[in-house]
Amino acid sequence: MNEKIPFAFNLPYNQSSSYWLAVYPFNDNPEFEKDLVTLGMEKPSATNNSYLMNIAGHWEAVWKDLYAAARHHNLTDKVQASLLAGDTRPDPKEFDFSRKSVDMIDKMADSLWLGEALLNDRIVCYMQPVFDKRGKIFGYEAFARMETSDAIISGGKIIEASKHLNAEYMLDRYLHLKAIKTFITSDLDGFLFINLIPGFIHRPEKYLEGLSEAAKFNGMPAKQIVLDFTHSEAPRDISHLKAIFDYCRSRGYLLSLDDMSSVPVAQKILETVHPDFIKLDIDLVRTASGTKEARIIGELVAMAHALGATVIAEGVETETVHLDLSKAGVDLFQGYYFSPPVAVSKLKSVV
């Protein structure tokens, strides 16, 4: 089997050999502008008030010096800048169109580690087992992690960095491919749960093209993959979600709705989209022993079962909660009580 995931990265802030940085000073600040010139920026022309610099290769070190100057003069909330990749000097209108606050560009600089990690294949998939009532493994949910020499970077930080690099959509698709490859090459059994965000999916046939290709490439049938969607109760979003569900179901995937915590919301959504699974909201699960929460869980379980859907409780952390959920009729369980998300090499030690 080919070991390399077929994926083309588009990470302009990591991959270009040349960058153009424009800084727009706030009003008249001679001392700050003097610092810009000292750092190597060109003085503005008569028709353009931006200071300009061309940076070869990595740009973050130069940027940090410029940002430090803006901080020194207490201008970080006033100064704007533009950073464009490319060998040819951009048109001034391109700089104007791409203006950002210096704080935003600094967050980009602080997030470049993600681009390097992607380019060097250092993002890994951890798996969290999903158990049935008998304590048998039903499947696994995939989570993104990055392992360093002294820490494990969480999926939340990976996603946050992707937002700063404007790479959320690309990361989302890449992680789907990574999850499928990890599942298959690790010889795992059962179902693979993959998280998707409906807001990213404008044309499901296009968006899921990469996921379908990865499944085919790795010999994994669509019926073994559960696509796990967040939900919104806005009518337009429900209509959009239904269109996505209809397409995914036509391609053979199983479908799950995440974070269900309200009976009225569940009624509004479930009668339209008919998922194969629903996942109870983590906060609801953690308080499952409460009278009000137990009633809500019972009603959600009854509603889901009436529609033929399987109910999953994620975030199960104690034996008491596990027993209460079992009594309420919940079908599947995952959470730290059983196992946290772990590297696949450690799965045998926790199941």
Side-chain angles (χ1 to χ4, degrees):
M1 181 179 295
N2 191 330
E3 289 299 317
K4 186 173 178 60
I5 292 180
F7 196 87
F9 289 105
N10 180 22
L11 295 160
Y13 301 116
N14 288 84
Q15 291 176 293
S16 181
S17 61
S18 178
Y19 293 91
W20 297 85
L21 176 65
V23 175
Y24 301 82
F26 176 72
N27 293 336
D28 182 27
N29 196 303
E31 291 303 313
F32 177 56
E33 293 182 34
K34 181 179 177 181
D35 286 347
L36 295 180
V37 174
T38 301
L39 290 169
M41 302 203 80
E42 296 179 13
K43 291 183 179 180
S45 66
T47 58
N48 192 326
N49 69 336
S50 65
Y51 284 76
L52 185 66
M53 174 186 286
N54 181 229
I55 306 170
H58 297 286
W59 57 273
E60 59 268 31
V62 176
W63 168 257
K64 285 297 182 181
D65 289 337
L66 291 164
Y67 187 68
R71 269 204 326 269
H72 176 72
H73 295 286
N74 296 315
L75 294 172
T76 55
D77 60 338
K78 299 179 177 66
V79 175
Q80 292 185 320
S82 296
L83 181 71
L84 297 173
D87 296 325
T88 305
R89 182 170 178 155
D91 185 277
K93 291 182 180 179
E94 292 184 65
F95 285 118
D96 288 339
F97 182 75
S98 63
R99 281 197 196 191
K100 298 178 176 66
S101 71
V102 292
D103 284 333
M104 287 181 66
I105 293 183
D106 196 58
K107 288 178 180 178
M108 288 166 52
D110 288 339
S111 300
L112 291 175
W113 59 266
L114 174 60
E116 294 303 315
L118 288 167
L119 292 170
N120 291 285
D121 197 28
R122 291 195 289 118
I123 302 295
V124 297
C125 267
Y126 276 28
M127 295 289 178
Q128 185 175 38
V130 178
F131 293 86
D132 65 17
K133 289 181 177 180
R134 301 168 299 164
K136 302 294 185 181
I137 293 179
F138 179 84
Y140 300 85
E141 182 173 354
F143 292 87
R145 296 289 187 269
M146 177 179 163
E147 298 175 339
T148 68
S149 59
D150 56 359
I152 297 174
I153 298 176
S154 70
K157 289 185 178 180
I158 290 172
I159 292 171
E160 182 182 5
S162 76
K163 292 178 181 178
H164 297 319
L165 295 179
N166 196 27
E168 291 173 272
Y169 178 79
M170 184 203 69
L171 176 70
D172 192 50
R173 295 191 66 179
Y174 172 74
L175 292 178
H176 300 161
L177 311 189
K178 192 79 172 180
I180 291 171
K181 178 187 174 184
T182 301
F183 187 90
I184 292 297
T185 58
S186 303
D187 293 323
L188 300 179
D189 295 320
F191 295 88
L192 171 62
F193 289 79
I194 296 178
N195 292 292
L196 287 90
I197 302 174
F200 283 169
I201 308 176
H202 302 294
R203 294 172 54 204
E205 68 279 7
K206 185 66 177 176
Y207 178 83
L208 288 170
E209 185 178 54
L211 190 149
S212 298
E213 288 176 356
K216 183 178 180 180
F217 181 78
N218 287 281
M220 186 170 189
K223 64 183 180 181
Q224 200 175 351
I225 299 173
V226 182
L227 303 180
D228 195 0
F229 291 88
T230 56
H231 71 271
S232 164
E233 55 186 297
R236 183 179 65 179
D237 294 337
I238 295 176
S239 177
H240 177 56
L241 186 63
K242 183 180 186 303
I244 295 171
F245 266 45
D246 289 346
Y247 177 79
C248 294
R249 187 168 278 118
S250 74
R251 304 299 294 174
Y253 296 106
L254 296 177
L255 304 166
S256 175
L257 270 185
D258 210 351
D259 302 327
M260 301 302 296
S261 62
S262 163
V263 173
V265 171
Q267 288 175 327
K268 180 189 292 187
I269 298 174
L270 295 182
E271 66 184 14
T272 301
V273 300
H274 302 296
D276 300 289
F277 302 86
I278 71 164
K279 280 191 171 184
L280 300 178
D281 181 77
I282 286 181
D283 289 334
L284 182 63
V285 167
R286 287 172 177 166
T287 55
S289 300
T291 303
K292 176 183 176 182
E293 290 77 11
R295 177 182 56 78
I296 294 172
I297 290 170
E299 291 184 33
L300 288 173
V301 168
M303 189 185 309
H305 286 172
L307 294 171
T310 299
V311 181
I312 306 173
E314 56 182 345
V316 180
E317 297 181 352
T318 67
E319 181 181 12
T320 298
V321 167
H322 177 223
L323 291 174
D324 288 339
L325 292 167
S326 297
K327 292 175 184 176
V330 172
D331 305 293
L332 301 172
F333 310 86
Q334 67 183 111
Y336 278 60
Y337 174 65
F338 304 98
S339 167
V342 295
V344 290
S345 61
K346 298 180 180 178
L347 276 175
K348 290 183 179 179
S349 65
V350 298
V351 297

